[in-house]
Amino acid sequence: PPPPGTSRAADALFGPTVAPAPVALAPGVCPRAEVRDGSNVWRQGGENPTEVRYQATITETARECRIEGDRMFIRVGVEGRVIVGPQGGPGTVTLPIRMAVTRGLSQALWTRLYTLQITVPPGSPSVDFSHVENEVVIPLPTPEELSRTYIFVGFDTQARPEQPRRGRQPRS
């Protein structure tokens, strides 16, 4: 007997039923890169505009992908600007930038926190910054998963510097 859902008449008219072939991603296809909502501005100093030392803004993101076997390699870039506020001046500013690749809005496939050291020279009202990550590797998403895979970048205002691990010191 023919398999369920087929008939000899249908096979004669339309040909035998063929299982759909898996759809592969085209080379260069990449998840969208976005700045996470609410994370495009970082500020050091008070909330009052006259108390701000520095304010940084992410202005651009970029990404490119390549597929090798069952993995996707992603290169992610971010650009922005640090503006010197009324209480700021020359010096070094540390920007906490997080990059993440997620499935959906919250399932992290890859994430990393960067602390960019930006030098503000004397007399400069602003400084541009950029950072590129070349080592993002995730399992190759299916075409259906790709539409729900995102590259997020942004300032991580909740970031805390990693503390050294405390362990027992070896006895001598």
Side-chain angles (χ1 to χ4, degrees), residues 23-112:
V23 178
L25 293 174
V29 169
C30 225
R32 280 188 300 221
E34 300 180 11
V35 178
R36 178 78 88 169
D37 283 346
S39 69
N40 66 323
V41 175
W42 171 89
R43 182 179 291 162
Q44 184 181 63
E47 289 300 314
N48 184 322
T50 62
E51 298 171 343
V52 174
R53 293 186 66 213
Y54 303 101
Q55 180 170 305
T57 306
I58 293 174
T59 56
E60 294 288 331
T61 63
R63 86 279 191 246
E64 62 184 34
C65 298
R66 75 179 193 283
I67 298 169
E68 290 183 15
D70 62 350
R71 297 184 300 171
M72 179 176 274
F73 293 79
I74 307 170
R75 186 172 182 220
V76 181
V78 62
E79 291 182 349
R81 177 174 295 234
V82 175
I83 298 172
V84 178
Q87 298 301 316
T92 301
V93 180
T94 302
L95 302 178
I97 295 181
R98 171 134 349 243
M99 293 183 176
V101 180
T102 66
R103 177 112 350 99
L105 297 177
S106 60
Q107 180 188 353
L109 301 175
W110 180 95
T111 184
R112 186 164 295 153

Side-chain angles (χ1 to χ4, degrees), residues 54 84 88-92 118-127:
Y54 303 101
V84 178
T92 301
I118 309 300
T119 301
V120 177
S124 179
S126 65
V127 176

